[in-house]
Each structure stands twice: as C-alpha cells, then as structure tokens.
Amino acid sequence: QVQLVESGGGLVQAGGSLRLSCVAPARVFTTYSMGWFRQSPGKEREFVAAISAEDASLYYTDSVKGRFTVSREYAKRVVYLQMNLLKPEDTAVYYCAADPRRVVIRQIYPTEWGQGTQVTVSS
C-alpha cells in the first residue's frame, strides 16, 4: 500500500531545475524524518537527501550537495526536493521515503516509501 504520494518528475535539459513533492499521512509527517532516494538502471538505490523530524537538520549525498535542497511545508504535510543545475547523471527514479527515527545520523533508513517518479536530464 502506498503511503507517500510523489509528483513533479519529468524531462529537463542539463542545467535546468525540477521540484519534486511528496505528500505524507499525518501520522508519518509529524513524527518521521523524511527524504529522498534514487535509483538508475543497473545501479543500487542510493540516498539523496533528508530532513530530520527532531530539529529539521538537512542531510545530502556528496554528489548533490550545493545543487539540491530538501525542505518541508508543515501545513500541507509536503516534503520537497528542489533540484537545480541538473546533470545527466541525476537521471533516475526518485523515491520519497520516511524513517521513524527522529534523529538522523548521516542518512535515513526508511520504513515507508513512495511509488517513485521518473526524472530524466538530457545533455
């Protein structure tokens, strides 16, 4: 059963921007740390970004730091991934994810997942 609902994927040229959105149930959004993973064909699913439930600390994998920003809009129970300066190597299916741990150490370990949304960056 899908608990997290994603949107915002699409096709963009290198150097462009996209913003992904993920709506979560209240029981998840109010207590879980949340973030994003991605997976390309033939590669392992990798952590991208997260925001902690405890103090809204931000966490990023090195390859996206300085280009991507993860944030929450609390009133709408939405987590965003703003992606700027996109590169072809960012092409992947992006998954919203939630971790019941309130404090994050380096990355989240999700127990809840979205269905995924395709991001394609052309060169």
Side-chain angles (χ1 to χ4, degrees):
Q1 180 179 335
V2 177
Q3 298 293 309
L4 310 176
V5 180
E6 300 142 318
S7 62
L11 175 64
V12 66
Q13 293 181 333
S17 298
L18 284 174
R19 187 175 74 167
L20 307 183
S21 301
C22 173
V23 180
R27 68 168 182 85
V28 171
F29 194 86
T30 57
T31 59
Y32 284 45
S33 298
M34 297 189 67
W36 299 86
F37 283 67
R38 67 186 180 186
Q39 188 166 26
S40 300
K43 295 184 177 181
E44 299 281 343
R45 187 173 296 188
E46 69 168 338
F47 169 74
V48 177
I51 182 166
S52 74
E54 183 67 25
D55 60 3
S57 293
L58 306 180
Y59 303 84
Y60 301 96
T61 192
D62 287 345
S63 64
V64 309
K65 191 172 184 179
R67 300 188 297 122
F68 291 11
T69 304
V70 63
S71 62
R72 289 186 181 223
E73 185 173 347
Y74 291 91
K76 295 183 178 180
R77 306 196 316 274
V78 177
V79 62
Y80 299 103
L81 185 66
Q82 178 67 47
M83 304 184 293
N84 299 323
L85 298 171
L86 282 161
K87 304 175 180 180
E89 50 263 47
D90 295 318
T91 295
V93 177
Y94 283 71
Y95 297 90
C96 183
D99 181 348
R101 300 172 178 85
R102 294 187 59 85
V103 176
V104 176
I105 302 175
R106 198 170 187 276
Q107 70 163 85
I108 55 171
Y109 296 88
T111 60
E112 305 281 349
W113 295 91
Q115 77 284 356
T117 185
Q118 177 71 46
V119 171
T120 302
V121 184
S122 64
S123 59

